[in-house]
Amino acid sequence: MQIEPFALERYFARYEFTARYLASCSDCDGLALEELLTLADDQARALWRDLRLGYTESLGHPLLRAEIASLYEGAAADDVLTGAPEELIFLAMNCLLEPGDHVIATFPAYQSLHQIAESMGCEVTRWQPDEGRGWLFDPEFVRANVHPRTKLIVANFPHNPTGALPSRAVFDEVVSIAHERGIHLFSDEMYRWLELDPGQRLPAGCEVYDKALSLSGMSKVFGLAGTRIGWLVTHDSALLARIAALKDYTTICSSAPSEILALMGLRARDRIVTRHVERIRHNLAELGQFLERRADLFACVPPRAGTICLPRLLGEVSADLFCRRAVEEAGVMIVPSSVFGWGDRHVRIGLGRAGLPEVLAKLEENLARTRF
Ligand SMILES: Cc1ncc(COP(=O)(O)O)c(C=O)c1O
């Protein structure tokens, strides 16, 4: 397959470990191993102590699959396949799609959610939010664009990079469209459980539709990106078996230590997630004050969930130029919207890292000396 470079990943590869300050990360700070071990229950600690570093079960450790299933209403361990989240997108798209198929996908997006289909020779219709209406994803767009060749709807709610979270009515409408047509719904839920108002949490796709696949993982919500553990949950067992069979050509199975660490993280989820949501709230308040002080430069639709938001630069300021100057002059790495192939007016700010207030202070200092 010929595939475009993953622009966001290339951007991070360039700056993540060289820039002094990171303002655009989408994960929460990685937990320290020591801390995770202290949060672990007796069973998981014993599994860690007695762990042997061989291959693991290719569908995932049975205890991990059971723990994941318990996160979803109506799911059983057999409905779960583990893998790295990015890997699971790749595998699922390859199993779901053929050249010439039509796909409707939320856009801008984590690139693989549309790029893999495009590179396979599918036609992808980009479902874009309306910033003027609070990053509204209008389901009427999906209804108007679905047609007999449409094989798949790809939704990512809470949304990267806007922080949008549609209402239950919007989500239900998308599910209904998929259901009426009997097509699959790939529901990327990597930021689910990080709603600022938990009352607005959407159901998981797999909880409401048998042909939905819910994707989630340890990276964003749980601060355990380094485990590279994620999962797909679906009641479509034939499809899950095909995806699992394709995984024999990628990683075969997950890393043994990672599975146990992920189990520990999931079992301590209440404490971990509460802390992360508190941090996001705090960072959002700090960001709000910063944006207010620089209202001459930015406008921002507040995020409703997840770890990121997407302020707009006012006037004619180029996001590429803004980000280049931030990293070169102040050592602050910020992701411009061009990395998502989506214009040159927005910048992504990450809210999941404890150091964000300090990073914003550095940026503000630099902006005070900068003219655009
Ligand atoms: C929406 C979305 N889906 C999937 C992924 C992939 O997750 P991971 O990096 O854990 O493989 C990301 C990562 O940024 C993401 O933002």
Side-chain angles (χ1 to χ4, degrees):
M1 182 203 284
Q2 294 296 325
I3 194 157
E4 293 285 317
F6 199 128
L8 178 74
E9 298 299 349
R10 288 301 93 219
Y11 197 83
F12 267 87
R14 179 158 173 211
Y15 293 118
E16 186 171 8
F17 299 101
T18 53
R20 187 112 187 256
Y21 307 101
L22 302 177
S24 288
C25 297
S26 60
D27 57 350
C28 291
D29 279 309
L31 261 73
L33 176 62
E34 281 284 316
E35 187 193 356
L36 185 60
L37 293 175
T38 61
L39 291 174
D41 62 16
D42 289 347
Q43 186 192 35
R45 213 173 295 136
L47 287 168
W48 182 250
R49 193 189 52 230
D50 300 336
L51 185 68
R52 301 194 70 97
L53 297 174
Y55 285 108
T56 61
E57 292 191 38
S58 65
L59 299 174
H61 193 296
L63 286 176
L64 179 60
R65 291 173 78 208
E67 196 65 36
I68 292 165
S70 76
L71 304 172
Y72 299 90
E73 223 169 90
D78 283 349
D79 302 321
V80 176
L81 171 68
T82 67
E86 170 71 317
E87 172 192 22
L88 294 170
I89 298 173
F90 186 85
L91 297 176
M93 295 299 163
N94 274 279
C95 288
L96 283 159
L97 297 170
E98 309 225 353
D101 286 343
H102 177 241
V103 178
I104 300 176
T106 41
F107 187 87
Y110 188 67
Q111 193 170 334
S112 44
L113 293 175
H114 58 87
Q115 185 70 64
I116 295 166
E118 282 159 356
S119 298
M120 290 173 70
C122 299
E123 180 201 342
V124 178
T125 299
R126 296 174 168 190
W127 180 24
Q128 304 194 40
D130 183 344
E131 186 174 13
R133 290 194 287 163
W135 292 130
L136 177 81
F137 280 94
D138 188 342
E140 284 315 307
F141 179 88
V142 180
R143 193 167 280 290
N145 282 280
V146 73
H147 62 67
R149 266 192 307 108
T150 309
K151 275 289 254 331
L152 179 67
I153 298 174
V154 180
N156 167 221
F157 303 133
H159 182 238
N160 173 9
T162 62
L165 177 65
S167 66
R168 177 73 199 260
V170 167
F171 185 69
D172 284 351
E173 176 65 358
V174 175
V175 172
S176 301
I177 296 167
H179 191 256
E180 283 160 27
R181 304 269 172 161
I183 58 182
H184 284 96
L185 171 66
F186 187 92
S187 183
D188 180 325
E189 299 160 6
M190 290 296 290
Y191 300 91
R192 186 165 173 266
W193 297 299
L194 292 178
E195 296 76 11
L196 292 167
D197 171 1
Q200 295 181 341
R201 182 169 308 148
L202 295 171
C206 66
E207 292 174 333
V208 292
Y209 180 40
D210 279 355
K211 290 180 104 173
L213 298 92
S214 289
L215 172 77
S216 191
M218 301 309 295
S219 319
K220 315 298 178 183
V221 178
F222 304 99
L224 293 172
T227 62
R228 308 308 297 122
I229 295 281
W231 52 87
L232 283 173
V233 185
T234 181
H235 294 293
D236 186 340
S237 48
L239 175 64
L240 200 66
R242 285 176 51 224
I243 298 172
L246 192 58
K247 192 181 153 196
D248 287 343
Y249 285 93
T250 52
T251 56
I252 306 172
C253 62
S254 297
S255 124
S258 287
E259 288 195 316
I260 306 307
L261 297 173
L263 183 66
M264 291 173 183
L266 285 181
R267 288 184 173 173
R269 59 185 171 270
D270 289 346
R271 287 169 70 176
I272 294 174
V273 175
T274 302
R275 189 209 304 177
H276 288 165
V277 173
E278 275 167 16
R279 183 185 304 146
I280 290 166
R281 277 186 214 290
H282 174 74
N283 281 342
L284 194 53
E286 294 276 333
L287 177 68
Q289 288 165 21
F290 164 80
L291 294 176
E292 225 175 273
R293 288 193 294 275
R294 291 312 310 255
D296 58 315
L297 200 52
F298 301 99
C300 186
V301 176
R304 303 210 309 162
T307 51
I308 38 211
C309 62
L310 197 67
R312 181 162 52 91
L313 290 162
L314 298 175
E316 291 304 305
V317 179
S318 148
D320 280 348
L321 176 66
F322 181 91
C323 294
R324 195 163 61 243
R325 292 182 73 165
V327 76
E328 284 173 5
E329 294 170 16
V332 178
M333 185 269 233
I334 311 176
V335 169
S337 53
S338 58
V339 161
F340 291 89
W342 199 67
D344 187 28
R345 285 285 173 266
H346 295 81
V347 292
R348 187 176 85 169
I349 302 293
L351 303 161
R353 299 281 181 105
L356 185 69
E358 187 200 349
V359 176
L360 291 177
K362 294 287 167 203
L363 180 64
E364 192 163 6
E365 234 173 72
N366 184 253
L367 285 176
R369 295 194 295 268
T370 309
R371 278 188 162 273
F372 285 99

